[in-house]
Amino acid sequence: MTLLAVNGGSPIRSQQWPLWPAPAPGALDALNEVLHSGRWAISGPYQGKQSFERRFAAAFAEFHEIGHCVPTSSGTASLMVALEACGVGAGDEVIIPGLTWVANASTVAGVNAVPVPVDVDPQTLCLDPVAVERAITPRTAAIVVVHLYSAVADLDALTAIAERHEIPLIEDCAQAHGARYRDRRVGTFGAFGTFSMQHSKVLTSGEGGAVITGDAALSRRAEHLRADGRTYTPDEPAVGEMELAQTAELMGSNRCLSEFQAALLLGQLELLDEQNERRRANAALLDEGLGALGIQPQVSSPGTTERTYYEWAGRIEDDGIGQIGVERIAPAVAAELSGAAIYASYPPMNHNRLYQPATRARFKGIAGLDLTGYSLPVAEDAGQRVVTIHHSALLGDESDMKDIVRAFEKVFANHRELRG
């Protein structure tokens, strides 16, 4: 008889997992208010009251104790806005992690620059500062650091490198809403902090994003870049007039957040700290239970004072199991848990099948975009051995965490069923 559910056996669990996204109290009322407001976007006529977009921008800036927030249509848009606001353009090089979501490479290519992937630290899976230092050239125009899964990168070392070389540091916080480093929210250490509010994120409106900065001039550039070269008018407009002024200072693109998304985010932001605390408590249970099975939990940099768990991540240490590959192990565990969100790690950027600039005519003839020649041994090992658990499962209770441990235990005990 087949033991593993993925091969037709009985799963260890049939109960469903916490549904994500989960709307905050008052979400329907907020959406209904937008629906009947006569204004569905910041680019619509002013209706006599502050837009949800501006209300969310103020709340998100206050949450981070920083001066400025510019909402955007997506995390990808936030990265492109930040890069261009920092002056990155044609022919420049941008250092990115070798282990991350594909957007970190594609956005660099999207502003006509060249992504330079460097390897990650084996414990944190975030940018290795030593590798960053070695990769800097006279063409390096920015460093993008990703706080990956549940770890915060070594911001002490990375900010020192950026300052020494006078290169802007951009923090990609798409997976780290609310995390703290030396008691400061992440996103406040670099020239910009960028965020995604896509469906899977711990703060979500389905799609959406934001950039934050303490620099008023950079914020003004970001406003222009995300609203077709327009920025907020200095004074409150009359009802029916536009709140975006055509300054002709800087050409931009339309990357604005809608009023519906901003209304959702205002409510979701109020729940974020409490939800993050629950995830941390459950992550500690997984650290113990899965650690005992030989899965080494991801660690965060020493300066971290509060983690955010977008994904619980751990490296399978047993060679016999690890060599099977997480692309087989993760679905087998998920099958034991009624389809819980258990995933393989991101593939290393030099082997990421989603990064294919040669398939786009706009990138034809641009040198340096092919990343297959880079050596990223730590990222490549993570792609084979690191397994992740989506944060929605971490909103459950202690019994749910025990089920996850039991599922891994069963798959590990019967791992030979997964060999090809």
Side-chain angles (χ1 to χ4, degrees):
M1 178 181 291
T2 300
L3 292 176
L4 295 181
V6 73
N7 290 333
S10 299
I12 69 164
R13 174 187 170 115
S14 59
Q15 303 99 304
Q16 295 302 303
W17 292 87
L19 185 66
W20 189 261
L28 281 177
D29 290 338
L31 291 172
N32 191 57
E33 183 179 342
V34 175
L35 190 64
H36 298 284
S37 68
R39 191 180 194 187
W40 289 6
I42 190 66
S43 56
Y46 183 68
Q47 297 296 327
K49 62 186 301 185
Q50 190 177 48
S51 67
F52 277 99
E53 192 248 38
R54 297 197 74 168
R55 287 165 57 187
F56 171 70
F60 205 56
E62 181 180 4
F63 179 78
H64 289 91
E65 298 180 355
I66 201 167
H68 309 278
C69 170
V70 180
T72 62
S73 56
S74 67
T76 294
S78 72
L79 281 167
M80 295 184 76
V81 164
L83 288 164
E84 290 199 85
C86 286
V88 177
D92 291 332
E93 293 178 349
V94 177
I95 293 174
I96 64 169
L99 187 72
T100 183
W101 178 242
V102 67
N104 290 102
S106 61
T107 52
V108 174
V111 299
N112 298 332
V114 176
V116 178
V118 305
D119 218 345
V120 295
D121 179 272
Q123 301 299 312
T124 68
L125 303 179
C126 299
L127 267 183
D128 180 351
V130 174
V132 170
E133 188 83 60
R134 291 172 180 164
I136 291 174
T137 74
R139 293 174 57 192
T140 305
I143 300 167
V144 177
V145 55
V146 179
H147 304 302
L148 190 73
Y149 296 143
S150 71
V152 178
D154 186 347
L155 287 171
D156 291 339
L158 291 168
T159 54
I161 292 170
E163 290 170 3
R164 184 164 60 253
H165 292 276
E166 298 183 337
I167 299 170
L169 179 70
I170 296 170
E171 292 179 76
D172 181 342
C173 308
Q175 302 182 11
H177 305 72
R180 292 181 184 270
Y181 189 89
R182 303 208 181 281
D183 293 323
R184 284 170 55 187
R185 301 276 192 193
V186 299
T188 63
F189 290 82
F192 279 106
T194 71
F195 295 82
S196 168
M197 283 71 165
Q198 178 268 345
H199 171 98
S200 68
K201 301 303 189 291
V202 297
L203 179 67
T204 181
S205 52
E207 289 288 356
V211 296
I212 61 173
T213 181
D215 187 310
L218 286 178
S219 178
R220 185 172 177 84
R221 286 180 62 82
E223 286 182 27
H224 282 84
L225 286 164
R226 67 84 196 233
D228 286 321
R230 297 170 293 175
T231 188
Y232 296 124
T233 55
D235 302 311
E236 182 179 325
V239 173
E241 292 184 352
M242 302 304 295
E243 195 172 3
L244 294 176
Q246 301 181 24
T247 68
E249 290 177 24
L250 180 66
M251 186 177 80
S253 302
N254 183 6
R255 296 170 176 146
C256 293
L257 190 74
S258 81
E259 285 290 275
F260 293 100
Q261 293 165 303
L264 284 174
L265 287 171
L266 267 174
Q268 301 303 120
L269 183 59
E270 294 180 3
L271 303 180
L272 182 60
D273 281 339
E274 177 186 347
Q275 290 174 336
N276 279 342
E277 182 58 39
R278 188 186 312 173
R279 295 181 185 108
R280 278 190 290 272
N282 281 325
L285 297 176
L286 292 181
D287 286 350
E288 180 180 358
L290 295 181
L293 297 180
I295 304 177
Q296 178 61 46
Q298 179 189 25
V299 301
S300 195
S301 297
T304 306
T305 45
E306 198 166 85
R307 294 173 76 168
T308 293
Y309 283 82
Y310 170 65
E311 306 264 4
W312 185 95
R315 182 184 186 276
I316 298 170
E317 298 291 337
D318 185 288
D319 286 340
I321 299 172
Q323 288 174 2
I324 295 171
V326 289
E327 289 190 355
R328 291 183 179 179
I329 292 171
V333 175
E336 300 294 339
L337 295 168
S338 301
I342 314 293
Y343 303 119
S345 169
Y346 296 130
M349 194 56 71
N350 55 345
H351 300 303
N352 193 316
R353 64 192 300 269
L354 295 181
Y355 180 76
Q356 299 288 344
T359 64
R360 300 275 295 275
R362 66 179 295 185
F363 300 129
K364 187 176 181 178
I366 299 177
L369 294 184
D370 184 356
L371 305 182
T372 57
Y374 284 88
S375 176
L376 304 167
V378 178
E380 289 167 9
D381 177 77
Q384 174 72 13
R385 289 178 178 262
V386 170
V387 65
T388 71
I389 303 168
H390 186 252
H391 69 85
S392 56
L394 300 181
L395 293 175
D397 57 26
E398 184 175 354
S399 67
D400 295 321
M401 302 308 105
K402 289 180 178 178
D403 282 347
I404 292 173
V405 173
R406 288 173 54 218
F408 274 96
E409 187 174 27
K410 179 180 176 182
V411 170
F412 282 12
N414 299 279
H415 66 273
R416 290 177 178 79
E417 288 190 44
L418 301 176
R419 294 186 180 275

